[in-house]
Amino acid sequence: MISLSFGGAVGLMFLMLGCALPQYNQYWPLFVLFFYILSPIPYCIARRLVDDTDAASNACKELAIFLTTGIVVSAFGLPIVFARAELIYWGACALVLTGNTVIFATILGFFLVFGSNDDFSWQQW
């Protein structure tokens, strides 16, 4: 749990550095925060709706993974579009992409650690 918190803090630090350093000083990259919030939602909804006793692939889970992938790809694409449109500098884009990598790895780690249906599960909340 501590390593997940540390990963989230490091990822947000890279995002803030990409926005607030004096040579960049543009806060457009903060829009990726919406993608951080939206990315786990389709998978969480699908886990609630789908019975896990079926070993075969499920269309609801596949759709949720597809939507999550689209959200994650959009989070990586938005800073690149901002940099190409010259709204932000390429250095800020690199910092935001580094932050994206760390944050999404942290979200993935959360679901790997707490995603099982044992006594130590996040679904009890």
Side-chain angles (χ1 to χ4, degrees):
M1 189 68 151
I2 294 172
S3 62
L4 292 174
S5 299
F6 181 73
V10 168
L12 288 176
M13 179 198 65
F14 279 118
L15 177 64
M16 289 300 145
L17 284 176
C19 295
L21 282 177
Q23 62 264 31
Y24 303 138
N25 201 23
Q26 295 290 326
Y27 290 91
W28 289 107
L30 287 179
F31 281 110
V32 298
L33 290 173
F34 293 119
F35 295 116
Y36 297 162
I37 294 167
L38 290 177
S39 65
I41 291 175
Y43 190 70
C44 291
I45 291 172
R47 290 213 39 187
R48 289 273 188 196
L49 295 177
V50 174
D51 185 25
D52 283 339
T53 58
D54 186 18
S57 178
N58 190 329
C60 184
K61 273 190 174 180
E62 296 293 329
L63 177 65
I65 292 171
F66 177 76
L67 292 175
T68 301
T69 303
I71 292 169
V72 170
V73 168
S74 298
F76 280 96
L78 185 68
I80 295 171
V81 169
F82 283 163
R84 296 264 307 158
E86 297 181 359
L87 290 173
I88 63 172
Y89 294 102
W90 282 102
C93 178
L95 286 169
V96 172
L97 292 178
T98 303
N100 281 350
T101 303
V102 174
I103 289 287
F104 286 123
T106 303
I107 293 171
L108 176 66
F110 179 82
F111 280 106
L112 290 177
V113 170
F114 296 106
S116 61
N117 288 329
D118 58 358
D119 294 335
F120 193 59
S121 177
W122 62 274
Q123 289 181 340
Q124 296 174 359
W125 305 342

